[in-house]
Amino acid sequence: MGSRELGERGEALAAAYLRRRGYRVVASRFRCRYGEIDLIAQKGRLLCFVEVKARTNLSMGLPREYVDYRKQERLRTTAAYYLSLRELDCPVRFDVAEVYVAEDGKERIEYMENAF
């Protein structure tokens, strides 16, 4: 499985995970000049900006380790742009979804609310 295919599968699995928990996915792969947000989900008034990291193994470390300070800053800036573009004034949260897809096809999600 290529990295693009793995990323798309990870995002789809994370979106399904959120829907099962009562969230409504309002956007996926939101892109602008500041960066990209994988998923934007809403539950009540709360808007969650979700970074999805999909991996087949841990040989390069935990997926959450790749959401470093620079990535967090890009996500915050992109989220602020999204909020201003839509003229939204609501509580927000930044989450990270680690999606593991094993060679045998088994899938597992570790979801971290308020990751940063």
Side-chain angles (χ1 to χ4, degrees):
M1 176 181 319
S3 63
R4 181 181 172 133
E5 182 183 351
L6 178 62
E8 289 174 359
R9 184 171 175 185
E11 288 174 16
L13 291 167
Y17 174 91
L18 288 165
R19 287 186 189 103
R20 285 192 305 271
R21 281 152 182 78
Y23 291 82
R24 183 171 64 94
V25 176
V26 296
S28 62
R29 293 191 210 141
F30 173 77
R31 289 186 176 103
C32 69
R33 62 183 170 183
Y34 302 111
E36 176 184 348
I37 297 175
D38 296 326
L39 296 172
I40 303 172
Q42 184 175 14
K43 190 171 191 179
R45 289 197 64 239
L46 177 67
L47 199 61
C48 300
F49 297 97
V50 183
E51 176 68 10
V52 179
K53 293 292 185 190
R55 298 290 185 271
T56 55
N57 63 61
L58 297 176
S59 65
M60 300 296 286
L62 293 172
R64 70 188 79 156
E65 294 171 351
Y66 288 85
V67 187
D68 61 9
Y69 179 76
R70 283 186 21 224
K71 179 67 173 176
Q72 291 174 19
E73 285 302 305
R74 280 195 306 272
L75 290 167
R76 284 186 185 103
T77 303
T78 306
Y81 178 74
Y82 179 88
L83 292 167
S84 68
L85 190 67
R86 306 273 185 303
E87 297 182 355
L88 297 173
D89 182 19
C90 60
V92 300
R93 188 176 76 204
F94 293 90
D95 300 347
V96 173
E98 293 181 335
V99 180
Y100 300 95
V101 180
E103 289 183 21
D104 63 4
K106 291 183 181 176
E107 302 157 342
R108 179 173 58 91
I109 296 177
E110 292 289 327
Y111 194 86
M112 288 151 277
E113 296 179 357
N114 286 312
F116 57 92

